[in-house]
């Protein structure tokens, strides 16, 4: 019998390389498995307490526990929260009666699923449809509220009571009965709530266009210039002395004797005042004479040299 040939050095080298590659591959797989296991125990992105207020609303008591639990589960998928983080965040957003309840069960609830099942029993989400329909029947659009916000507010209220979408649309339109859009909305059928919003926006844009004042073209502008208003003629009173009642100077420049305090301004008597003075007002007589001559020039005899003096309406004899 022939002896088997001894393996050559090249064959031994190839066998050694294959074994080393297998060892490296096994070590790499083990490292990957270790990283995957480590990743399962690492939490996702943690959020700041102020940010958490916007992600998870507070829960006190009453209705809405199912929606609240679903909100936490939804955010946990987005942020990669682990079970202990979900439980921590949920407990921190409880207030009122729900917070008092959680203080009694804090040490017995180890997982978020246990927490969710227990709090649902403590605050059952039983919705009375009659109450929801009563609230929908009394809802109206607020003055400072946009149409879109109003529609979604009514829609959320209806969905909380499992009200049909057709009934929600009816309640939305009914709540706009005092609004200018009501007549346009009530005459049309809508496929869904989004079709209703689309029509509301279109009607709202038309309403805004109608409210804007119409701009006149240049051909309609009145090119006739307005008639100028003549300046108002004002009559200036001549300079008059309050001591002697003559014109042409002030009382400080008067050379006549000083009139007694409280005496009549017209005749100087101390027995009466000017409104009871028996002496006629020479100025009123002059004006009456001028007006009686139909605005003709009045000529009065001075009585001294036979000359005639022309008098203006404001002058006195």
């Amino acid at each position: 019998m022939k002896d088997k040939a001894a393996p050559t050095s090249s064959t031994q080298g190839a066998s050694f390389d294959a074994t080393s590659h297998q060892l490296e591959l096994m070590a790499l797989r083990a490292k990957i498995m270790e990283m995957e296991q480590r990743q399962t125990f690492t939490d996702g992105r943690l959020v700041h307490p102020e940010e958490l207020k916007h992600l998870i609303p507070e829960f006190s008591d009453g209705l809405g526990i199912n929606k609240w639990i679903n909100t936490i589960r939804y955010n946990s998928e987005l942020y990669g929260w682990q079970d202990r983080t979900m439980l921590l965040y949920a407990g921190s957003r409880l207030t009122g009666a729900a917070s008092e309840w959680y203080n009694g069960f804090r040490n017995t609830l180890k997982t978020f699923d246990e927490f969710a099942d227990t709090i649902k029993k403590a605050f059952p989400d039983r919705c009375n449809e009659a109450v929801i329909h009563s609230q929908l029947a009394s809802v109206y659009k607020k003055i400072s509220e946009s149409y879109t916000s109003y529609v979604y507010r009514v829609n959320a209220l209806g969905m909380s009571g499992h009200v049909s979408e057709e009934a929600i649309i009816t309640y939305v339109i009914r709540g706009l009965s005092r609004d200018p859009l009501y007549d346009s909305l009530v005459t049309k059928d809508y496929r869904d709530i989004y079709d209703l919003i689309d029509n509301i926006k279109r009607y709202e844009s038309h309403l805004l266009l109608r409210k804007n004042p119409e701009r006149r073209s240049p051909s309609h502008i009145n090119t006739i210039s307005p008639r100028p208003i003549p300046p108002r003629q004002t009559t200036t009173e001549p300079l008059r002395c309050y001591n002697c009642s003559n014109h042409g100077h002030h009382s400080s420049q008067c050379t006549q004797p000083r009139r007694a305090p409280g005496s009549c301004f017209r005749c100087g008597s101390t027995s009466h005042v000017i409104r009871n003075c028996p002496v006629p007002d020479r100025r009123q007589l002059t004006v009456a004479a001028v007006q009686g001559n139909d605005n003709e020039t009045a000529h009065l005899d001075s009585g001294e040299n036979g000359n005639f003096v022309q008098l203006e309406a404001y002058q006195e004899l």
Side-chain angles (χ1 to χ4, degrees), residues 178-194:
R178 306 171 185 174
D179 195 89
L181 299 184
Y182 176 77
D183 294 335
S184 301
L185 296 173
V186 75
T187 58
K188 192 177 183 301
D189 294 330
Y190 304 94
R191 297 185 303 272
D192 50 29
I193 200 72
Y194 304 107

Side-chain angles (χ1 to χ4, degrees), residues 39-240:
Q39 183 68 23
T40 57
F41 291 101
T42 56
D43 213 337
R45 187 176 79 85
L46 301 179
V47 296
H48 192 271
E50 292 298 326
E51 184 181 1
L52 185 64
K53 295 178 181 179
H54 299 282
L55 298 176
I56 304 176
E58 291 184 345
F59 180 80
S60 176
D61 53 12
L63 304 176
I65 185 62
N66 289 322
K67 182 179 179 181
W68 187 74
I69 293 294
N70 292 335
T71 301
I72 299 176
R73 294 189 187 277
Y74 173 77
N75 288 309
S76 68
E77 295 178 1
L78 292 180
Y79 290 90
W81 297 338
Q82 296 300 317
D83 190 82
R84 63 178 181 272
T85 306
M86 295 170 61
L87 183 61
L88 176 64
Y89 286 165
S92 65
R93 300 303 293 159
L94 296 177
T95 60
S99 178
E100 297 295 335
W101 166 86
Y102 185 59
N103 290 333
F105 288 88
R106 184 186 299 271
N107 298 328
T108 60
L109 302 176
K110 302 299 182 181
T111 64
F112 181 77
D113 290 338
E114 293 179 358
F115 168 82
D117 293 338
T118 309
I119 196 173
K120 286 180 181 179
K121 294 178 181 179
F123 303 95
D125 199 3
R126 297 192 184 98
C127 180
N128 191 335
E129 294 184 6
V131 176
I132 298 298
H133 280 282
S134 176
Q135 294 177 356
L136 289 171
S138 60
V139 70
Y140 286 97
K141 177 182 173 299
K142 302 176 183 178
I143 298 178
S144 59
E145 188 178 25
S146 66
Y147 288 100
T148 304
S149 299
Y150 162 72
V151 173
Y152 284 133
R153 178 167 62 90
V154 179
N155 183 62
L157 179 60
M159 292 182 63
S160 65
H162 306 288
V163 180
S164 65
E165 190 171 27
E166 183 179 0
I168 294 176
I169 292 175
T170 303
Y171 283 120
V172 169
I173 298 175
R174 184 184 182 278
L176 295 173
S177 58
R178 306 171 185 174
D179 195 89
L181 299 184
Y182 176 77
D183 294 335
S184 301
L185 296 173
V186 75
T187 58
K188 192 177 183 301
D189 294 330
Y190 304 94
R191 297 185 303 272
D192 50 29
I193 200 72
Y194 304 107
D195 186 28
L196 173 62
I197 293 177
D198 183 64
N199 282 271
I200 287 178
K201 290 182 178 180
R202 184 167 62 253
Y203 295 148
E204 183 183 12
S205 62
H206 289 310
L207 182 64
L208 292 176
L209 290 175
R210 290 174 56 187
K211 287 184 177 181
N212 291 334
E214 297 181 358
R215 296 181 178 179
R216 295 184 178 180
S217 59
S219 59
H220 292 91
I221 299 178
N222 188 5
T223 56
I224 302 176
S225 58
R227 185 170 56 184
I229 301 176
R232 190 174 180 182
Q233 298 181 354
T234 57
T235 344
T236 58
E237 291 289 339
L239 195 61
R240 187 173 187 178

Side-chain angles (χ1 to χ4, degrees), residues 7-22:
T8 61
S9 59
S10 60
T11 305
Q12 292 177 353
S15 175
F16 178 78
D17 291 340
T19 304
S20 63
H21 285 307
Q22 289 180 358

